[in-house]
Amino acid sequence: MRTRVRAGESSAFAELFDAYARAVYNHAFRLTADWSTAEDVMAATFMEAWRLRDRVDPEGGSLRPWLLGIATNTARNQYRSNRRYRTAAGAAAAAELSVPDHADEVADRIDDRRRLAAALTALATLRRPEREVVALCLGEGLDYEAAAEALGIPVGTVASRLSRARRKLRALAAEEPEKAGGNREGGRTGRQVRGDHTHVVRPAQGGNR
């Protein structure tokens, strides 16, 4: 695949898109908190991958870390300030939770919305470098080496950023039961954010748009 991508074979890029578009799209959403922006980031990622195809190392494994690295840089240009990300994340989380709880709504779909809202709220508490590492390691399941490759930083930096992010997320999770205790009448708010938030930072959308 790497040799074909380097050679600019259109069929290779079609296969690359089919294999990784969903991962790029979900990763972009975690970094932008906006589905529409995530679509733009995904499209720009594959355009940039085509432009940078001659930089692909002919030796190596999956091209997913390379694509996710391009997506991270593209998303970074969209949200350079934490304030803008927090605003978008808050709006997206509120939108997910504003869907009426109809009796015929599938229960797991409602739970998915709650988990997504909790994930966005959790990600918004992190600094951008920490959020990027969390999105790669916990969201996309990359190991430290692959995340370091994607971000162009040392493995040790990945480890330290992820460690800081985990501490913040654990602290946030520890605060939530107290908040839930004072909000028991509403019922749902406590369940949205209980537990380790790192477990809900998973692929957020079922398919490509």
Side-chain angles (χ1 to χ4, degrees):
M1 172 64 82
R2 285 174 173 263
T3 300
R4 294 169 60 210
V5 167
R6 281 176 58 86
E9 290 186 21
S10 58
S11 60
F13 271 85
E15 291 173 25
L16 202 65
F17 183 88
D18 289 342
Y20 300 122
R22 176 179 172 181
V24 170
Y25 181 51
N26 285 331
H27 179 63
F29 176 72
R30 294 187 194 96
L31 296 180
T32 63
D34 182 273
W35 291 120
S36 178
T37 303
E39 289 179 357
D40 294 340
V41 169
M42 180 184 70
T45 294
F46 283 94
M47 290 177 64
E48 185 70 358
W50 172 264
R51 191 179 72 82
L52 299 175
R53 62 189 182 278
D54 59 343
R55 298 188 189 177
V56 172
D57 191 329
E59 303 295 328
S62 169
L63 285 170
R64 188 164 68 111
W66 177 62
L67 287 171
L68 293 176
I70 295 174
T72 300
N73 288 331
T74 304
R76 190 180 294 160
N77 291 331
Q78 296 280 347
Y79 287 91
R80 288 195 174 275
S81 75
N82 265 353
R83 179 179 298 178
R84 186 177 175 191
Y85 180 88
R86 282 194 291 268
T87 299
E96 292 297 330
L97 294 176
S98 67
V99 176
D101 186 2
H102 295 305
D104 58 353
E105 183 95 30
V106 180
D108 60 356
R109 176 62 175 163
I110 297 173
D111 287 341
D112 284 346
R113 287 183 176 276
R114 291 174 184 156
R115 283 193 292 270
L116 178 53
L120 291 171
T121 301
L123 287 171
T125 67
L126 304 176
R127 295 172 57 245
R128 177 181 54 76
E130 296 164 350
R131 187 160 55 241
E132 290 174 352
V133 169
V134 166
L136 288 168
C137 294
L138 303 184
E140 289 301 322
L142 298 190
D143 59 25
Y144 288 1
E145 289 76 13
E149 176 190 341
L151 295 172
I153 58 177
V155 173
T157 303
V158 171
S160 61
R161 288 179 183 177
L162 187 59
S163 177
R164 284 197 302 272
R166 284 183 186 276
R167 285 198 299 271
K168 290 181 181 180
L169 294 174
R170 281 195 293 267
L172 178 64
E175 292 173 3
E176 291 306 330
E178 296 177 10
K179 294 179 183 177
N183 207 8
R184 239 171 242 290
E185 233 173 279
R188 292 169 194 224
T189 308
R191 290 203 307 268
Q192 288 161 15
V193 286
R194 221 169 255 177
D196 188 345
H197 280 78
T198 59
H199 291 300
V200 296
V201 188
R202 299 298 305 163
Q205 182 82 340
N208 298 324
R209 293 194 176 186

